[in-house]
Amino acid sequence: MPVPKGSTIDPVRTRAAILEAATPVLYERGLDGIGVAELCAHLGVSKETLYRHFGSKDGLVRAMLETRSERIARWLAEAIAAAGHDPADQLAAVFDVLQQWYDDPAFRGCAVLNAAAQHHDQTVRAITERHLDRYLELLTGIAVRAGAPDPHTLGRQWLMLVEGATAVAAHHDKVSAGEHAHRAALALLPATAGARG
Amino acid sequence: MPVPKGSTIDPVRTRAAILEAATPVLYERGLDGIGVAELCAHLGVSKETLYRHFGSKDGLVRAMLETRSERIARWLAEAIAAAGHDPADQLAAVFDVLQQWYDDPAFRGCAVLNAAAQHHDQTVRAITERHLDRYLELLTGIAVRAGAPDPHTLGRQWLMLVEGATAVAAHHDKVSAGEHAHRAALALLPATAGARG
DNA sequence: CAGAGATCGAACCGTTCGGTACGATCCGGG
DNA sequence: CCCGGATCGTACCGAACGGTTCGATCTCTG
């Protein structure tokens, strides 16, 4: 029973449960690939409840994308933090996490970028841009700690590798995509930096 | 007058004209972002004509994606051929073409990959995979001519940079995206190869 | 134990969708 | 000169869409 029936039992928990359950469904079916009625059936929630908590389908979508973006960034940041102090290890951790994601049978590419490809809504565009900002910040941080002379550019090139690997894994071939991207990212490090010692 | 009115004047020209006119509209509005009626109004064609030539909206979409994929590949191949014999120049030509594309105000990312993000139809997936195959073949060719020891892997890493640069340009910041990706691609060349001399 | 509030389920609304049908029009080939 | 076929414009279809409403139900709070 994902959502309790009674009253004041937990107004905020219902919202969170809806969000949690809607995320994978919207991801695998696509934002416009499922209607509100069928979606509610999957969630075990009535339409009225959904509309009271999110106002509209777009409201749910926006909340879902923001939550997902924040979660991904937190997930990556934790993987980086757990990798110790060596920037090379931190970089390896990033691409390890990515490859694990690619290996998930449900993997269908980046949910946020997929969403942006469908809704060219202004709000969704903003969420997408902020999502890539978060990625960029994490990667630039590694580049700084690695002593790269132009960490901003290196971070951006790493971002391209991350997104490129994700696209290739989603639409072409996921085997070793993370590993190949990782090796490419490493090759950029000594080329741009005078670092490593 | 995009489509002549009379009869046997040219059955194949009508189809081509529809395809040509539909491509930019579907690109900027999104595959599901415009209905058949409005689309036909933009094309200056009646629904009956469209359905006689393409059978369904999906039929039109498939034809459009295949045509677009082939055209992009041909365009890139010509740019490579025009760049002379030096693989480095050929690589530069690829990223030059990409940056020109990014600078187009109508640029909204790769039409084929955007389509795949919306329709997870089997046919669209196949078109997308073939599209990336074409890219990969062109890039691997450059890697071979550059004497890379593992040209297949290098081609794939370049493909990631190409798609990553496109995604970043579409969703984050298009300024210098092609140039940064180009520099990253160059850095991969001496790292993977023992070549250049 | 009574009331407030959250939820359900289902009916309902207007709109839009992809797709079809039809009569009128226009043209090139025999 | 006329017929066949491609086209147009429009009306139409059933289904699905996003969203609203309402009575019944349930549960926590006072």
Side-chain angles (χ1 to χ4, degrees), chain B residues 139-176:
Chain B
L139 294 170
T140 304
I142 298 178
V144 166
R145 292 190 291 279
D150 187 354
H152 192 280
T153 295
L154 181 56
R156 196 173 186 229
Q157 290 168 327
W158 281 347
L159 178 62
M160 291 177 181
L161 280 170
V162 165
E163 293 303 333
T166 302
V168 167
H171 300 299
H172 193 261
D173 180 13
K174 59 178 61 172
V175 176
S176 303

mmCIF file of all heavy atoms in Angstrom, chain B residues 139-176:
data_model
loop_
_atom_site.group_PDB
_atom_site.id
_atom_site.type_symbol
_atom_site.label_atom_id
_atom_site.label_comp_id
_atom_site.label_asym_id
_atom_site.label_seq_id
_atom_site.Cartn_x
_atom_site.Cartn_y
_atom_site.Cartn_z
ATOM 1 N N LEU B 139 34.103 8.676 -38.198
ATOM 2 C CA LEU B 139 35.139 9.026 -37.223
ATOM 3 C C LEU B 139 36.215 7.948 -37.149
ATOM 4 O O LEU B 139 37.410 8.257 -37.060
ATOM 5 C CB LEU B 139 34.498 9.247 -35.850
ATOM 6 C CG LEU B 139 33.556 10.452 -35.776
ATOM 7 C CD1 LEU B 139 32.772 10.457 -34.476
ATOM 8 C CD2 LEU B 139 34.341 11.751 -35.934
ATOM 9 N N THR B 140 35.798 6.683 -37.203
ATOM 10 C CA THR B 140 36.775 5.596 -37.167
ATOM 11 C C THR B 140 37.689 5.665 -38.394
ATOM 12 O O THR B 140 38.894 5.372 -38.298
ATOM 13 C CB THR B 140 36.050 4.238 -37.117
ATOM 14 O OG1 THR B 140 35.161 4.232 -35.996
ATOM 15 C CG2 THR B 140 37.044 3.106 -36.975
ATOM 16 N N GLY B 141 37.119 6.063 -39.519
ATOM 17 C CA GLY B 141 37.935 6.225 -40.726
ATOM 18 C C GLY B 141 39.056 7.224 -40.508
ATOM 19 O O GLY B 141 40.215 6.971 -40.887
ATOM 20 N N ILE B 142 38.730 8.321 -39.876
ATOM 21 C CA ILE B 142 39.762 9.317 -39.582
ATOM 22 C C ILE B 142 40.809 8.725 -38.641
ATOM 23 O O ILE B 142 42.016 8.911 -38.829
ATOM 24 C CB ILE B 142 39.139 10.583 -38.960
ATOM 25 C CG1 ILE B 142 38.160 11.230 -39.946
ATOM 26 C CG2 ILE B 142 40.226 11.572 -38.563
ATOM 27 C CD1 ILE B 142 37.467 12.469 -39.403
ATOM 28 N N ALA B 143 40.329 7.993 -37.643
ATOM 29 C CA ALA B 143 41.260 7.378 -36.681
ATOM 30 C C ALA B 143 42.199 6.396 -37.368
ATOM 31 O O ALA B 143 43.394 6.327 -37.046
ATOM 32 C CB ALA B 143 40.470 6.678 -35.574
ATOM 33 N N VAL B 144 41.661 5.642 -38.320
ATOM 34 C CA VAL B 144 42.495 4.691 -39.062
ATOM 35 C C VAL B 144 43.581 5.446 -39.830
ATOM 36 O O VAL B 144 44.769 5.113 -39.767
ATOM 37 C CB VAL B 144 41.632 3.854 -40.025
ATOM 38 C CG1 VAL B 144 42.495 3.109 -41.034
ATOM 39 C CG2 VAL B 144 40.754 2.879 -39.247
ATOM 40 N N ARG B 145 43.144 6.468 -40.546
ATOM 41 C CA ARG B 145 44.108 7.222 -41.364
ATOM 42 C C ARG B 145 45.133 7.955 -40.500
ATOM 43 O O ARG B 145 46.240 8.253 -40.947
ATOM 44 C CB ARG B 145 43.360 8.212 -42.244
ATOM 45 C CG ARG B 145 42.531 7.529 -43.326
ATOM 46 C CD ARG B 145 41.984 8.507 -44.345
ATOM 47 N NE ARG B 145 40.951 9.389 -43.812
ATOM 48 C CZ ARG B 145 39.670 9.036 -43.678
ATOM 49 N NH1 ARG B 145 39.256 7.825 -44.018
ATOM 50 N NH2 ARG B 145 38.800 9.892 -43.205
ATOM 51 N N ALA B 146 44.739 8.229 -39.249
ATOM 52 C CA ALA B 146 45.684 8.890 -38.348
ATOM 53 C C ALA B 146 46.670 7.893 -37.744
ATOM 54 O O ALA B 146 47.563 8.285 -37.007
ATOM 55 C CB ALA B 146 44.922 9.604 -37.230
ATOM 56 N N GLY B 147 46.489 6.604 -38.039
ATOM 57 C CA GLY B 147 47.415 5.594 -37.547
ATOM 58 C C GLY B 147 47.202 5.236 -36.089
ATOM 59 O O GLY B 147 48.124 4.771 -35.416
ATOM 60 N N ALA B 148 46.010 5.441 -35.593
ATOM 61 C CA ALA B 148 45.737 5.086 -34.208
ATOM 62 C C ALA B 148 45.853 3.568 -34.027
ATOM 63 O O ALA B 148 45.400 2.814 -34.886
ATOM 64 C CB ALA B 148 44.337 5.544 -33.813
ATOM 65 N N PRO B 149 46.461 3.127 -32.933
ATOM 66 C CA PRO B 149 46.621 1.695 -32.710
ATOM 67 C C PRO B 149 45.290 0.997 -32.473
ATOM 68 O O PRO B 149 45.141 -0.180 -32.792
ATOM 69 C CB PRO B 149 47.518 1.616 -31.464
ATOM 70 C CG PRO B 149 47.398 2.940 -30.809
ATOM 71 C CD PRO B 149 47.097 3.932 -31.879
ATOM 72 N N ASP B 150 44.342 1.702 -31.892
ATOM 73 C CA ASP B 150 43.012 1.123 -31.680
ATOM 74 C C ASP B 150 41.958 2.092 -32.240
ATOM 75 O O ASP B 150 41.268 2.771 -31.489
ATOM 76 C CB ASP B 150 42.779 0.880 -30.188
ATOM 77 C CG ASP B 150 41.475 0.129 -29.925
ATOM 78 O OD1 ASP B 150 40.709 -0.103 -30.891
ATOM 79 O OD2 ASP B 150 41.216 -0.199 -28.760
ATOM 80 N N PRO B 151 41.869 2.152 -33.538
ATOM 81 C CA PRO B 151 41.012 3.169 -34.163
ATOM 82 C C PRO B 151 39.536 2.997 -33.817
ATOM 83 O O PRO B 151 38.787 3.972 -33.782
ATOM 84 C CB PRO B 151 41.239 2.972 -35.667
ATOM 85 C CG PRO B 151 41.746 1.581 -35.790
ATOM 86 C CD PRO B 151 42.515 1.299 -34.542
ATOM 87 N N HIS B 152 39.109 1.784 -33.525
ATOM 88 C CA HIS B 152 37.705 1.561 -33.200
ATOM 89 C C HIS B 152 37.348 2.246 -31.882
ATOM 90 O O HIS B 152 36.325 2.939 -31.768
ATOM 91 C CB HIS B 152 37.421 0.058 -33.127
ATOM 92 C CG HIS B 152 35.958 -0.261 -33.090
ATOM 93 N ND1 HIS B 152 35.202 -0.170 -31.939
ATOM 94 C CD2 HIS B 152 35.095 -0.631 -34.066
ATOM 95 C CE1 HIS B 152 33.950 -0.486 -32.199
ATOM 96 N NE2 HIS B 152 33.844 -0.769 -33.485
ATOM 97 N N THR B 153 38.220 2.049 -30.886
ATOM 98 C CA THR B 153 37.981 2.702 -29.604
ATOM 99 C C THR B 153 38.084 4.210 -29.723
ATOM 100 O O THR B 153 37.252 4.952 -29.182
ATOM 101 C CB THR B 153 38.987 2.186 -28.556
ATOM 102 O OG1 THR B 153 38.747 0.805 -28.336
ATOM 103 C CG2 THR B 153 38.835 2.941 -27.247
ATOM 104 N N LEU B 154 39.083 4.682 -30.456
ATOM 105 C CA LEU B 154 39.245 6.126 -30.617
ATOM 106 C C LEU B 154 38.046 6.724 -31.331
ATOM 107 O O LEU B 154 37.535 7.787 -30.944
ATOM 108 C CB LEU B 154 40.530 6.437 -31.389
ATOM 109 C CG LEU B 154 40.821 7.923 -31.600
ATOM 110 C CD1 LEU B 154 40.862 8.682 -30.277
ATOM 111 C CD2 LEU B 154 42.122 8.129 -32.377
ATOM 112 N N GLY B 155 37.578 6.034 -32.355
ATOM 113 C CA GLY B 155 36.396 6.515 -33.063
ATOM 114 C C GLY B 155 35.203 6.626 -32.124
ATOM 115 O O GLY B 155 34.434 7.588 -32.165
ATOM 116 N N ARG B 156 35.070 5.637 -31.249
ATOM 117 C CA ARG B 156 33.955 5.664 -30.311
ATOM 118 C C ARG B 156 34.098 6.812 -29.310
ATOM 119 O O ARG B 156 33.114 7.466 -28.953
ATOM 120 C CB ARG B 156 33.915 4.324 -29.570
ATOM 121 C CG ARG B 156 32.606 4.067 -28.865
ATOM 122 C CD ARG B 156 32.585 2.663 -28.302
ATOM 123 N NE ARG B 156 31.299 2.331 -27.734
ATOM 124 C CZ ARG B 156 31.144 1.804 -26.521
ATOM 125 N NH1 ARG B 156 32.207 1.545 -25.771
ATOM 126 N NH2 ARG B 156 29.948 1.512 -26.077
ATOM 127 N N GLN B 157 35.311 7.064 -28.871
ATOM 128 C CA GLN B 157 35.517 8.180 -27.944
ATOM 129 C C GLN B 157 35.250 9.514 -28.634
ATOM 130 O O GLN B 157 34.667 10.425 -28.034
ATOM 131 C CB GLN B 157 36.947 8.130 -27.388
ATOM 132 C CG GLN B 157 37.157 6.955 -26.424
ATOM 133 C CD GLN B 157 38.618 6.703 -26.099
ATOM 134 O OE1 GLN B 157 39.497 6.905 -26.932
ATOM 135 N NE2 GLN B 157 38.879 6.249 -24.883
ATOM 136 N N TRP B 158 35.640 9.601 -29.883
ATOM 137 C CA TRP B 158 35.327 10.815 -30.642
ATOM 138 C C TRP B 158 33.817 10.965 -30.807
ATOM 139 O O TRP B 158 33.290 12.072 -30.737
ATOM 140 C CB TRP B 158 36.009 10.770 -32.010
ATOM 141 C CG TRP B 158 37.468 11.129 -31.954
ATOM 142 C CD1 TRP B 158 38.124 11.698 -30.901
ATOM 143 C CD2 TRP B 158 38.444 10.961 -32.988
ATOM 144 N NE1 TRP B 158 39.451 11.883 -31.216
ATOM 145 C CE2 TRP B 158 39.671 11.450 -32.500
ATOM 146 C CE3 TRP B 158 38.408 10.448 -34.285
ATOM 147 C CZ2 TRP B 158 40.844 11.444 -33.262
ATOM 148 C CZ3 TRP B 158 39.569 10.443 -35.047
ATOM 149 C CH2 TRP B 158 40.779 10.938 -34.529
ATOM 150 N N LEU B 159 33.151 9.835 -31.027
ATOM 151 C CA LEU B 159 31.695 9.886 -31.148
ATOM 152 C C LEU B 159 31.066 10.429 -29.861
ATOM 153 O O LEU B 159 30.136 11.244 -29.891
ATOM 154 C CB LEU B 159 31.135 8.493 -31.450
ATOM 155 C CG LEU B 159 29.613 8.393 -31.546
ATOM 156 C CD1 LEU B 159 29.072 9.252 -32.682
ATOM 157 C CD2 LEU B 159 29.164 6.939 -31.737
ATOM 158 N N MET B 160 31.612 9.991 -28.725
ATOM 159 C CA MET B 160 31.116 10.514 -27.444
ATOM 160 C C MET B 160 31.325 12.017 -27.355
ATOM 161 O O MET B 160 30.443 12.746 -26.885
ATOM 162 C CB MET B 160 31.821 9.811 -26.284
ATOM 163 C CG MET B 160 31.442 8.349 -26.131
ATOM 164 S SD MET B 160 32.366 7.547 -24.818
ATOM 165 C CE MET B 160 31.716 5.853 -24.940
ATOM 166 N N LEU B 161 32.466 12.476 -27.804
ATOM 167 C CA LEU B 161 32.728 13.919 -27.779
ATOM 168 C C LEU B 161 31.769 14.662 -28.695
ATOM 169 O O LEU B 161 31.263 15.740 -28.356
ATOM 170 C CB LEU B 161 34.183 14.202 -28.183
ATOM 171 C CG LEU B 161 35.212 13.998 -27.072
ATOM 172 C CD1 LEU B 161 36.630 14.066 -27.612
ATOM 173 C CD2 LEU B 161 35.014 15.050 -25.977
ATOM 174 N N VAL B 162 31.523 14.092 -29.867
ATOM 175 C CA VAL B 162 30.604 14.733 -30.811
ATOM 176 C C VAL B 162 29.209 14.832 -30.207
ATOM 177 O O VAL B 162 28.586 15.903 -30.189
ATOM 178 C CB VAL B 162 30.567 13.952 -32.143
ATOM 179 C CG1 VAL B 162 29.371 14.377 -32.986
ATOM 180 C CG2 VAL B 162 31.872 14.139 -32.904
ATOM 181 N N GLU B 163 28.708 13.722 -29.688
ATOM 182 C CA GLU B 163 27.357 13.725 -29.131
ATOM 183 C C GLU B 163 27.292 14.533 -27.837
ATOM 184 O O GLU B 163 26.289 15.196 -27.561
ATOM 185 C CB GLU B 163 26.879 12.292 -28.891
ATOM 186 C CG GLU B 163 26.666 11.496 -30.168
ATOM 187 C CD GLU B 163 25.669 12.158 -31.107
ATOM 188 O OE1 GLU B 163 24.786 12.895 -30.614
ATOM 189 O OE2 GLU B 163 25.797 11.975 -32.333
ATOM 190 N N GLY B 164 28.362 14.446 -27.049
ATOM 191 C CA GLY B 164 28.403 15.222 -25.816
ATOM 192 C C GLY B 164 28.429 16.711 -26.101
ATOM 193 O O GLY B 164 27.720 17.495 -25.450
ATOM 194 N N ALA B 165 29.237 17.116 -27.081
ATOM 195 C CA ALA B 165 29.286 18.535 -27.436
ATOM 196 C C ALA B 165 27.918 19.002 -27.927
ATOM 197 O O ALA B 165 27.465 20.100 -27.606
ATOM 198 C CB ALA B 165 30.350 18.770 -28.510
ATOM 199 N N THR B 166 27.259 18.151 -28.690
ATOM 200 C CA THR B 166 25.934 18.501 -29.208
ATOM 201 C C THR B 166 24.938 18.661 -28.064
ATOM 202 O O THR B 166 24.152 19.614 -28.025
ATOM 203 C CB THR B 166 25.454 17.420 -30.184
ATOM 204 O OG1 THR B 166 26.407 17.302 -31.244
ATOM 205 C CG2 THR B 166 24.101 17.776 -30.769
ATOM 206 N N ALA B 167 24.974 17.739 -27.113
ATOM 207 C CA ALA B 167 24.053 17.815 -25.980
ATOM 208 C C ALA B 167 24.337 19.054 -25.138
ATOM 209 O O ALA B 167 23.417 19.786 -24.748
ATOM 210 C CB ALA B 167 24.166 16.554 -25.125
ATOM 211 N N VAL B 168 25.601 19.315 -24.861
ATOM 212 C CA VAL B 168 25.962 20.482 -24.057
ATOM 213 C C VAL B 168 25.579 21.769 -24.785
ATOM 214 O O VAL B 168 25.046 22.704 -24.188
ATOM 215 C CB VAL B 168 27.475 20.464 -23.725
ATOM 216 C CG1 VAL B 168 27.930 21.797 -23.167
ATOM 217 C CG2 VAL B 168 27.779 19.340 -22.738
ATOM 218 N N ALA B 169 25.838 21.795 -26.096
ATOM 219 C CA ALA B 169 25.475 22.991 -26.865
ATOM 220 C C ALA B 169 23.965 23.200 -26.867
ATOM 221 O O ALA B 169 23.479 24.327 -26.822
ATOM 222 C CB ALA B 169 26.000 22.868 -28.296
ATOM 223 N N ALA B 170 23.227 22.116 -26.932
ATOM 224 C CA ALA B 170 21.766 22.229 -27.014
ATOM 225 C C ALA B 170 21.156 22.621 -25.675
ATOM 226 O O ALA B 170 20.200 23.396 -25.626
ATOM 227 C CB ALA B 170 21.168 20.906 -27.485
ATOM 228 N N HIS B 171 21.688 22.098 -24.593
ATOM 229 C CA HIS B 171 21.002 22.215 -23.308
ATOM 230 C C HIS B 171 21.717 23.089 -22.289
ATOM 231 O O HIS B 171 21.169 23.350 -21.216
ATOM 232 C CB HIS B 171 20.793 20.830 -22.704
ATOM 233 C CG HIS B 171 19.977 19.919 -23.549
ATOM 234 N ND1 HIS B 171 18.682 20.186 -23.891
ATOM 235 C CD2 HIS B 171 20.284 18.750 -24.169
ATOM 236 C CE1 HIS B 171 18.213 19.217 -24.658
ATOM 237 N NE2 HIS B 171 19.167 18.335 -24.851
ATOM 238 N N HIS B 172 22.935 23.513 -22.579
ATOM 239 C CA HIS B 172 23.657 24.277 -21.573
ATOM 240 C C HIS B 172 24.266 25.546 -22.140
ATOM 241 O O HIS B 172 23.837 26.632 -21.810
ATOM 242 C CB HIS B 172 24.738 23.389 -20.940
ATOM 243 C CG HIS B 172 25.336 23.949 -19.695
ATOM 244 N ND1 HIS B 172 26.530 24.610 -19.676
ATOM 245 C CD2 HIS B 172 24.879 23.948 -18.416
ATOM 246 C CE1 HIS B 172 26.790 25.008 -18.435
ATOM 247 N NE2 HIS B 172 25.805 24.621 -17.649
ATOM 248 N N ASP B 173 25.257 25.387 -23.024
ATOM 249 C CA ASP B 173 25.947 26.563 -23.558
ATOM 250 C C ASP B 173 26.630 26.178 -24.855
ATOM 251 O O ASP B 173 27.449 25.270 -24.894
ATOM 252 C CB ASP B 173 26.979 27.048 -22.531
ATOM 253 C CG ASP B 173 27.730 28.278 -23.033
ATOM 254 O OD1 ASP B 173 27.289 28.879 -24.033
ATOM 255 O OD2 ASP B 173 28.756 28.637 -22.418
ATOM 256 N N LYS B 174 26.256 26.884 -25.932
ATOM 257 C CA LYS B 174 26.788 26.519 -27.233
ATOM 258 C C LYS B 174 28.096 27.223 -27.575
ATOM 259 O O LYS B 174 28.765 26.843 -28.527
ATOM 260 C CB LYS B 174 25.741 26.797 -28.325
ATOM 261 C CG LYS B 174 25.288 28.224 -28.416
ATOM 262 C CD LYS B 174 24.293 28.410 -29.567
ATOM 263 C CE LYS B 174 23.040 27.569 -29.393
ATOM 264 N NZ LYS B 174 22.013 27.908 -30.423
ATOM 265 N N VAL B 175 28.470 28.223 -26.783
ATOM 266 C CA VAL B 175 29.672 28.988 -27.108
ATOM 267 C C VAL B 175 30.928 28.112 -27.003
ATOM 268 O O VAL B 175 31.194 27.527 -25.954
ATOM 269 C CB VAL B 175 29.805 30.217 -26.175
ATOM 270 C CG1 VAL B 175 31.119 30.949 -26.456
ATOM 271 C CG2 VAL B 175 28.622 31.150 -26.353
ATOM 272 N N SER B 176 31.657 28.044 -28.095
ATOM 273 C CA SER B 176 32.927 27.300 -28.152
ATOM 274 C C SER B 176 32.774 25.816 -27.886
ATOM 275 O O SER B 176 33.770 25.133 -27.643
ATOM 276 C CB SER B 176 33.944 27.870 -27.139
ATOM 277 O OG SER B 176 34.160 29.242 -27.388
#
